[in-house]
Amino acid sequence: MVHVTLMGWRGRIAGAALAVVSVGAIGGGAAPARTSGPQPEATRAVGGSPRALTARVLLRAPAGLRATSTDAARITLAWRNRARGATRTRITWRAAGSRRWQGRSVRATTRQATLTRLRPNTRYLVAIKACRGARCGASDREWARTSATGPPGTPGGTSTVGGCTVFPDDNAWNRRVDTVPAHPNSAALIRSIGAERTLHADFGSGRYGDYGIPVTVVPADQKPVPITFTAYGDESDPGPYPIPPDARVEGARDGADGDRHVIVVQRGACKLYELYRAQRRASGWAADSGAVFDLSSNNLRPAGWTSADAAGLPILPGLARADEASAGVIAHALRFTVRKTRRAYIAPARHFASSDTDPDLPPMGLRVRLKRSFSLAGYTGQARAILVALRDYGMIVADNGSDWFISGTPDPAWDDDDLDQLKRVPGSAFEALDTGPAVTG
């Protein structure tokens, strides 16, 4: 499957019903550059004087070009027509680095079209313009980026850290959930988390504090050091771990005494090492618990075991990262917290952290999805990329904490003002999914 994100979208779609036309990758032609100043007008008389025709024809550029849906090797685009007297709309596109334009014309009244036979992981420049006969007006142009992710319900794209793929493509974290049915108790589960509460990015650029869970990448020959477990050693993977003394600790810059996660990816071996409530020691590290994951495997932890996360899940694959969000594509589920959970877990989670058996409370591992009916119009940049991921891949309850807090890495590349858009998204915009039975024992 090919997915696309349009960068720099400047408008909204006007109107309700949209005419749909399939546009094959055939034909040719060049896309004119966007121009400023007065829009072109037809001046050749056809059954009337030039002045009369000029009053009827104004080939203004279309506006609000954006992607509305995607499928395998296809991009569906929509726009707003602003021309008067046009007889057709010309659509052209080319891949980044290519000089060859492809294109086709559709009816002037068409407001939506689908580009087909596109290459995955490729940026495309798309241009649309209004035409009458051989004469065309200025173009509305946008770059689009495709990513190789599977069709609904199938594996997503490949996320990498330190040269390592973050779990196989068919791993639960990387699986799209477009077609997964809603949980029969979805409404009650969402209410218990907070239908009126809104999303919150629990990470950022560092401008407003040390928020986020940092990731440290170490070389293949990093020296392993002893790990002393202080609370849940019986459910932890024994050391030593290749964690350097300068590994980044969650919240350490502000002297926080919170979860203090340490996340380390070892190059070459492609192993993931995670600690909870980590403290540096003279000869190594101490932590409440720790877990080791093979990034090339889908193996789960033993049933009933915790990890560095209360749910017994790995933390790394659920983190929002600025590089992915800035590129417009996050092809995996995200991690989030809720204040109260149930004494149960759903795979791939392996552990619960509650004694409450209320069936309306979310179990660890519950996956929720942004409803497709929730409009993304007006959301831009990194926030939009996160919302698209929440619609296509969802997010998983991984720990007890503040409701609707999404986890990510701290990074100066985050745009904090952009992320604030997430605070406009209410819990009622989500639905809980039926991804499997809840384990209670």
Side-chain angles (χ1 to χ4, degrees):
M1 173 183 283
V2 174
H3 290 277
V4 64
T5 299
L6 285 176
M7 278 68 77
W9 171 58
R10 301 173 308 284
R12 297 185 180 181
I13 297 174
L18 301 179
V20 179
V21 138
S22 178
V23 181
I26 59 175
R34 183 185 287 123
T35 61
S36 58
Q39 295 293 323
E41 296 181 342
T43 57
R44 184 169 57 88
V46 180
S49 68
R51 179 175 296 178
L53 184 59
T54 298
R56 295 196 303 270
V57 178
L58 179 63
L59 300 180
R60 300 178 66 193
L65 177 62
R66 70 162 184 160
T68 59
S69 65
T70 61
D71 204 336
R74 297 182 296 181
I75 303 167
T76 296
L77 304 167
W79 61 89
R80 184 172 70 254
N81 290 320
R82 302 191 303 161
R84 184 171 66 237
T87 58
R88 62 189 176 93
T89 297
R90 179 69 176 172
I91 307 171
T92 54
W93 63 96
R94 68 170 174 83
S98 172
R99 296 182 179 180
R100 179 174 178 265
W101 286 90
Q102 298 174 290
R104 183 175 173 179
S105 295
V106 298
R107 293 192 305 270
T109 55
T110 300
R111 299 179 185 175
Q112 183 166 315
T114 300
L115 311 183
T116 63
R117 286 181 276 175
L118 303 178
R119 299 199 306 264
N121 297 317
T122 304
R123 294 177 72 230
Y124 286 89
L125 179 60
V126 182
I128 58 173
K129 54 189 174 182
C131 303
R132 182 182 178 90
R135 186 178 180 85
C136 297
S139 297
D140 188 20
R141 303 169 66 154
E142 292 294 346
W143 281 100
R145 182 187 295 273
T146 59
S147 65
T149 59
T154 62
T158 300
S159 176
T160 61
V161 175
C164 300
T165 298
V166 183
F167 295 114
D169 285 349
D170 61 349
N171 187 274
W173 285 100
N174 299 327
R175 184 168 292 274
R176 290 173 60 99
V177 291
D178 308 53
T179 58
V180 174
H183 195 283
N185 198 34
S186 175
L189 290 165
I190 296 300
R191 280 196 303 269
S192 74
I193 302 173
E196 303 304 320
R197 298 187 182 98
T198 60
L199 289 182
H200 180 86
D202 196 20
F203 53 90
S205 69
R207 183 172 52 167
Y208 300 112
D210 190 16
Y211 297 109
I213 301 176
V215 176
T216 301
V217 177
V218 299
D221 60 355
Q222 178 66 44
K223 179 183 177 181
V225 297
I227 307 295
T228 302
F229 295 114
T230 57
Y232 308 104
D234 58 335
E235 296 178 17
S236 296
D237 295 316
Y241 292 4
I243 301 180
D246 61 349
R248 298 182 65 186
V249 181
E250 178 188 11
R253 195 180 74 181
D254 288 347
D257 187 28
D259 288 351
R260 295 183 60 86
H261 288 113
V262 169
I263 313 294
V264 169
V265 173
Q266 186 177 32
R267 291 183 182 274
C270 289
K271 292 289 184 68
L272 169 63
Y273 299 85
E274 300 186 341
L275 298 177
Y276 168 62
R277 291 186 60 80
Q279 299 286 343
R280 295 178 180 86
R281 293 277 180 91
S283 60
W285 291 79
D288 279 12
S289 61
V292 180
F293 297 91
D294 181 346
L295 291 174
S296 67
S297 170
N298 287 333
N299 290 341
L300 303 178
R301 294 181 65 69
W305 277 35
T306 188
S307 60
D309 229 350
L313 291 164
I315 294 172
L316 174 68
L319 297 178
R321 297 186 354 235
D323 59 333
E324 294 180 321
S326 297
V329 179
I330 301 174
H332 56 83
L334 298 179
R335 170 192 188 272
F336 81 114
T337 62
V338 299
R339 186 171 54 88
K340 294 184 66 176
T341 55
R342 192 197 327 168
R343 189 183 185 276
Y345 62 85
I346 299 173
R350 307 300 279 167
H351 183 262
F352 50 72
S354 173
S355 59
D356 199 322
T357 59
D358 184 349
D360 291 344
L361 291 176
M364 290 292 180
L366 178 73
R367 197 160 182 160
V368 304
R369 172 182 62 204
L370 185 66
K371 295 176 181 177
R372 191 157 291 274
S373 60
F374 183 80
S375 175
L376 299 185
Y379 291 93
T380 60
Q382 295 171 340
R384 182 182 177 88
I386 289 171
L387 292 176
V388 171
L390 295 181
R391 182 191 66 193
D392 294 345
Y393 295 90
M395 57 182 175
I396 300 175
V397 175
D399 203 351
N400 295 310
S402 298
D403 290 323
W404 301 116
F405 272 44
I406 304 172
S407 300
T409 61
D411 193 321
W414 284 117
D415 184 330
D416 297 308
D417 295 331
D418 191 288
L419 293 175
D420 274 349
Q421 296 176 83
L422 298 176
K423 297 177 181 178
R424 293 163 23 203
V425 182
S428 59
F430 291 86
E431 56 191 346
L433 302 181
D434 188 0
T435 58
V439 178
T440 58

